[in-house]
Amino acid sequence: MKAKFLICGLFVMLAAGCAGNKEMLTTSINEAEGMHRAAQAEGIQSAATVQGEKDLASAKQLSEEGKDNEALDAAEHSRLLYRLAFAEKDAKDAALADSTASKELQGDQESQKLYQTILDNETQDKEAAQ
């Protein structure tokens, strides 16, 4: 009797675990699809997005075949690749902004030197006139 109860309990836990994996798989695929659409909207094209698309397609195919664990791995890998693509884009944008700010600063420093030279010349002319 105890053995039957234990086996039934294990079966229920296994079924609940599989249902949880299916829900996680669906969530992961949906998130990867959302990130895919966002990457397309942002115009992000990189090796990471290409591989992410492949992994997303693979996750969907594996899910249809009932290979939930492999599908979950592929979906999670796809999500990570899309996150990498967004991070690379952010880093590129930050580098561009830094370069632009550096050029503006250099221009401001040159202007400051020019204005200081003019001010020094005027000061010397006033002192010479007195």
Side-chain angles (χ1 to χ4, degrees), residues 69-92:
N69 288 336
E70 293 88 351
L72 182 60
D73 290 343
E76 286 297 312
H77 192 250
S78 175
R79 286 181 56 233
L80 290 173
L81 287 168
Y82 282 117
R83 289 181 69 184
L84 174 63
F86 281 107
E88 288 172 340
K89 181 185 181 303
D90 288 345
K92 184 178 177 182

mmCIF file of all heavy atoms in Angstrom, residues 69-92:
data_model
loop_
_atom_site.group_PDB
_atom_site.id
_atom_site.type_symbol
_atom_site.label_atom_id
_atom_site.label_comp_id
_atom_site.label_asym_id
_atom_site.label_seq_id
_atom_site.Cartn_x
_atom_site.Cartn_y
_atom_site.Cartn_z
ATOM 1 N N ASN A 69 12.853 19.649 -23.057
ATOM 2 C CA ASN A 69 14.117 20.080 -22.439
ATOM 3 C C ASN A 69 15.065 20.687 -23.467
ATOM 4 O O ASN A 69 15.666 21.737 -23.226
ATOM 5 C CB ASN A 69 14.793 18.916 -21.717
ATOM 6 C CG ASN A 69 14.070 18.535 -20.445
ATOM 7 O OD1 ASN A 69 13.367 19.354 -19.865
ATOM 8 N ND2 ASN A 69 14.230 17.290 -20.031
ATOM 9 N N GLU A 70 15.195 20.039 -24.615
ATOM 10 C CA GLU A 70 16.057 20.572 -25.664
ATOM 11 C C GLU A 70 15.498 21.881 -26.212
ATOM 12 O O GLU A 70 16.243 22.816 -26.506
ATOM 13 C CB GLU A 70 16.224 19.569 -26.808
ATOM 14 C CG GLU A 70 16.986 18.316 -26.432
ATOM 15 C CD GLU A 70 16.091 17.215 -25.879
ATOM 16 O OE1 GLU A 70 14.894 17.469 -25.629
ATOM 17 O OE2 GLU A 70 16.597 16.104 -25.680
ATOM 18 N N ALA A 71 14.178 21.949 -26.331
ATOM 19 C CA ALA A 71 13.536 23.170 -26.814
ATOM 20 C C ALA A 71 13.759 24.315 -25.828
ATOM 21 O O ALA A 71 14.024 25.451 -26.247
ATOM 22 C CB ALA A 71 12.042 22.931 -27.018
ATOM 23 N N LEU A 72 13.659 24.020 -24.540
ATOM 24 C CA LEU A 72 13.891 25.053 -23.532
ATOM 25 C C LEU A 72 15.327 25.559 -23.591
ATOM 26 O O LEU A 72 15.568 26.776 -23.523
ATOM 27 C CB LEU A 72 13.574 24.517 -22.137
ATOM 28 C CG LEU A 72 13.732 25.497 -20.984
ATOM 29 C CD1 LEU A 72 12.804 26.701 -21.161
ATOM 30 C CD2 LEU A 72 13.452 24.818 -19.658
ATOM 31 N N ASP A 73 16.271 24.647 -23.761
ATOM 32 C CA ASP A 73 17.670 25.058 -23.891
ATOM 33 C C ASP A 73 17.871 25.971 -25.104
ATOM 34 O O ASP A 73 18.544 27.000 -25.018
ATOM 35 C CB ASP A 73 18.591 23.838 -24.010
ATOM 36 C CG ASP A 73 18.704 23.045 -22.722
ATOM 37 O OD1 ASP A 73 18.344 23.581 -21.650
ATOM 38 O OD2 ASP A 73 19.152 21.881 -22.786
ATOM 39 N N ALA A 74 17.274 25.604 -26.233
ATOM 40 C CA ALA A 74 17.416 26.402 -27.451
ATOM 41 C C ALA A 74 16.749 27.768 -27.290
ATOM 42 O O ALA A 74 17.304 28.795 -27.715
ATOM 43 C CB ALA A 74 16.819 25.660 -28.644
ATOM 44 N N ALA A 75 15.586 27.795 -26.652
ATOM 45 C CA ALA A 75 14.880 29.070 -26.444
ATOM 46 C C ALA A 75 15.673 29.985 -25.508
ATOM 47 O O ALA A 75 15.787 31.185 -25.757
ATOM 48 C CB ALA A 75 13.483 28.809 -25.886
ATOM 49 N N GLU A 76 16.222 29.406 -24.454
ATOM 50 C CA GLU A 76 17.017 30.206 -23.517
ATOM 51 C C GLU A 76 18.287 30.725 -24.200
ATOM 52 O O GLU A 76 18.692 31.866 -23.987
ATOM 53 C CB GLU A 76 17.385 29.383 -22.269
ATOM 54 C CG GLU A 76 16.223 29.170 -21.335
ATOM 55 C CD GLU A 76 15.688 30.468 -20.766
ATOM 56 O OE1 GLU A 76 16.488 31.299 -20.284
ATOM 57 O OE2 GLU A 76 14.466 30.663 -20.812
ATOM 58 N N HIS A 77 18.901 29.893 -25.025
ATOM 59 C CA HIS A 77 20.096 30.320 -25.754
ATOM 60 C C HIS A 77 19.746 31.455 -26.711
ATOM 61 O O HIS A 77 20.496 32.436 -26.840
ATOM 62 C CB HIS A 77 20.713 29.136 -26.509
ATOM 63 C CG HIS A 77 22.073 29.420 -27.032
ATOM 64 N ND1 HIS A 77 22.333 29.559 -28.363
ATOM 65 C CD2 HIS A 77 23.255 29.637 -26.390
ATOM 66 C CE1 HIS A 77 23.617 29.830 -28.528
ATOM 67 N NE2 HIS A 77 24.200 29.886 -27.356
ATOM 68 N N SER A 78 18.597 31.344 -27.353
ATOM 69 C CA SER A 78 18.134 32.403 -28.250
ATOM 70 C C SER A 78 17.944 33.712 -27.481
ATOM 71 O O SER A 78 18.387 34.772 -27.930
ATOM 72 C CB SER A 78 16.813 31.980 -28.907
ATOM 73 O OG SER A 78 16.297 33.027 -29.689
ATOM 74 N N ARG A 79 17.306 33.636 -26.324
ATOM 75 C CA ARG A 79 17.096 34.839 -25.503
ATOM 76 C C ARG A 79 18.434 35.473 -25.121
ATOM 77 O O ARG A 79 18.595 36.692 -25.181
ATOM 78 C CB ARG A 79 16.319 34.491 -24.233
ATOM 79 C CG ARG A 79 14.854 34.220 -24.459
ATOM 80 C CD ARG A 79 14.112 33.896 -23.168
ATOM 81 N NE ARG A 79 14.294 34.961 -22.206
ATOM 82 C CZ ARG A 79 14.737 34.782 -20.956
ATOM 83 N NH1 ARG A 79 15.043 33.580 -20.523
ATOM 84 N NH2 ARG A 79 14.854 35.801 -20.139
ATOM 85 N N LEU A 80 19.388 34.639 -24.731
ATOM 86 C CA LEU A 80 20.700 35.164 -24.336
ATOM 87 C C LEU A 80 21.408 35.825 -25.521
ATOM 88 O O LEU A 80 22.055 36.870 -25.360
ATOM 89 C CB LEU A 80 21.563 34.045 -23.751
ATOM 90 C CG LEU A 80 21.130 33.530 -22.393
ATOM 91 C CD1 LEU A 80 21.966 32.316 -21.993
ATOM 92 C CD2 LEU A 80 21.223 34.612 -21.337
ATOM 93 N N LEU A 81 21.272 35.244 -26.688
ATOM 94 C CA LEU A 81 21.902 35.837 -27.867
ATOM 95 C C LEU A 81 21.271 37.183 -28.217
ATOM 96 O O LEU A 81 21.979 38.127 -28.595
ATOM 97 C CB LEU A 81 21.821 34.878 -29.049
ATOM 98 C CG LEU A 81 22.753 33.676 -28.951
ATOM 99 C CD1 LEU A 81 22.407 32.632 -29.998
ATOM 100 C CD2 LEU A 81 24.207 34.108 -29.082
ATOM 101 N N TYR A 82 19.965 37.280 -28.088
ATOM 102 C CA TYR A 82 19.318 38.571 -28.337
ATOM 103 C C TYR A 82 19.743 39.601 -27.305
ATOM 104 O O TYR A 82 19.973 40.772 -27.630
ATOM 105 C CB TYR A 82 17.794 38.429 -28.379
ATOM 106 C CG TYR A 82 17.296 37.869 -29.678
ATOM 107 C CD1 TYR A 82 16.625 36.657 -29.731
ATOM 108 C CD2 TYR A 82 17.507 38.540 -30.875
ATOM 109 C CE1 TYR A 82 16.175 36.136 -30.934
ATOM 110 C CE2 TYR A 82 17.065 38.025 -32.080
ATOM 111 C CZ TYR A 82 16.405 36.829 -32.104
ATOM 112 O OH TYR A 82 15.975 36.325 -33.301
ATOM 113 N N ARG A 83 19.870 39.177 -26.055
ATOM 114 C CA ARG A 83 20.351 40.109 -25.021
ATOM 115 C C ARG A 83 21.763 40.573 -25.346
ATOM 116 O O ARG A 83 22.102 41.745 -25.168
ATOM 117 C CB ARG A 83 20.310 39.440 -23.647
ATOM 118 C CG ARG A 83 18.882 39.242 -23.137
ATOM 119 C CD ARG A 83 18.839 38.608 -21.798
ATOM 120 N NE ARG A 83 19.352 39.570 -20.824
ATOM 121 C CZ ARG A 83 19.515 39.281 -19.549
ATOM 122 N NH1 ARG A 83 19.235 38.078 -19.098
ATOM 123 N NH2 ARG A 83 19.962 40.195 -18.721
ATOM 124 N N LEU A 84 22.593 39.650 -25.838
ATOM 125 C CA LEU A 84 23.948 40.007 -26.254
ATOM 126 C C LEU A 84 23.910 41.017 -27.390
ATOM 127 O O LEU A 84 24.655 42.004 -27.382
ATOM 128 C CB LEU A 84 24.714 38.751 -26.683
ATOM 129 C CG LEU A 84 26.102 38.975 -27.282
ATOM 130 C CD1 LEU A 84 27.030 39.606 -26.251
ATOM 131 C CD2 LEU A 84 26.670 37.671 -27.802
ATOM 132 N N ALA A 85 23.029 40.805 -28.359
ATOM 133 C CA ALA A 85 22.922 41.729 -29.496
ATOM 134 C C ALA A 85 22.523 43.126 -29.015
ATOM 135 O O ALA A 85 23.080 44.131 -29.478
ATOM 136 C CB ALA A 85 21.913 41.200 -30.507
ATOM 137 N N PHE A 86 21.573 43.192 -28.084
ATOM 138 C CA PHE A 86 21.165 44.502 -27.552
ATOM 139 C C PHE A 86 22.304 45.150 -26.770
ATOM 140 O O PHE A 86 22.523 46.358 -26.867
ATOM 141 C CB PHE A 86 19.922 44.370 -26.672
ATOM 142 C CG PHE A 86 18.646 44.252 -27.447
ATOM 143 C CD1 PHE A 86 17.979 43.046 -27.531
ATOM 144 C CD2 PHE A 86 18.106 45.343 -28.103
ATOM 145 C CE1 PHE A 86 16.801 42.927 -28.245
ATOM 146 C CE2 PHE A 86 16.931 45.244 -28.830
ATOM 147 C CZ PHE A 86 16.278 44.029 -28.901
ATOM 148 N N ALA A 87 23.041 44.351 -26.011
ATOM 149 C CA ALA A 87 24.170 44.896 -25.244
ATOM 150 C C ALA A 87 25.263 45.409 -26.181
ATOM 151 O O ALA A 87 25.857 46.470 -25.930
ATOM 152 C CB ALA A 87 24.730 43.829 -24.303
ATOM 153 N N GLU A 88 25.527 44.667 -27.257
ATOM 154 C CA GLU A 88 26.525 45.122 -28.227
ATOM 155 C C GLU A 88 26.100 46.432 -28.878
ATOM 156 O O GLU A 88 26.914 47.321 -29.089
ATOM 157 C CB GLU A 88 26.750 44.047 -29.296
ATOM 158 C CG GLU A 88 27.512 42.837 -28.793
ATOM 159 C CD GLU A 88 27.556 41.698 -29.797
ATOM 160 O OE1 GLU A 88 26.713 41.662 -30.733
ATOM 161 O OE2 GLU A 88 28.433 40.829 -29.636
ATOM 162 N N LYS A 89 24.809 46.552 -29.187
ATOM 163 C CA LYS A 89 24.304 47.791 -29.787
ATOM 164 C C LYS A 89 24.442 48.954 -28.800
ATOM 165 O O LYS A 89 24.864 50.047 -29.171
ATOM 166 C CB LYS A 89 22.845 47.649 -30.214
ATOM 167 C CG LYS A 89 22.297 48.925 -30.870
ATOM 168 C CD LYS A 89 20.821 48.813 -31.178
ATOM 169 C CE LYS A 89 20.265 50.049 -31.854
ATOM 170 N NZ LYS A 89 20.441 51.279 -31.139
ATOM 171 N N ASP A 90 24.103 48.701 -27.529
ATOM 172 C CA ASP A 90 24.246 49.741 -26.511
ATOM 173 C C ASP A 90 25.704 50.169 -26.366
ATOM 174 O O ASP A 90 25.994 51.360 -26.239
ATOM 175 C CB ASP A 90 23.709 49.261 -25.157
ATOM 176 C CG ASP A 90 22.193 49.163 -25.131
ATOM 177 O OD1 ASP A 90 21.538 49.727 -26.040
ATOM 178 O OD2 ASP A 90 21.668 48.530 -24.189
ATOM 179 N N ALA A 91 26.614 49.198 -26.396
ATOM 180 C CA ALA A 91 28.034 49.522 -26.279
ATOM 181 C C ALA A 91 28.507 50.340 -27.489
ATOM 182 O O ALA A 91 29.266 51.308 -27.326
ATOM 183 C CB ALA A 91 28.860 48.236 -26.160
ATOM 184 N N LYS A 92 28.040 49.979 -28.658
ATOM 185 C CA LYS A 92 28.403 50.711 -29.877
ATOM 186 C C LYS A 92 27.859 52.132 -29.814
ATOM 187 O O LYS A 92 28.561 53.096 -30.156
ATOM 188 C CB LYS A 92 27.864 49.979 -31.099
ATOM 189 C CG LYS A 92 28.260 50.583 -32.415
ATOM 190 C CD LYS A 92 27.705 49.760 -33.571
ATOM 191 C CE LYS A 92 28.030 50.395 -34.900
ATOM 192 N NZ LYS A 92 27.464 49.638 -36.023
#
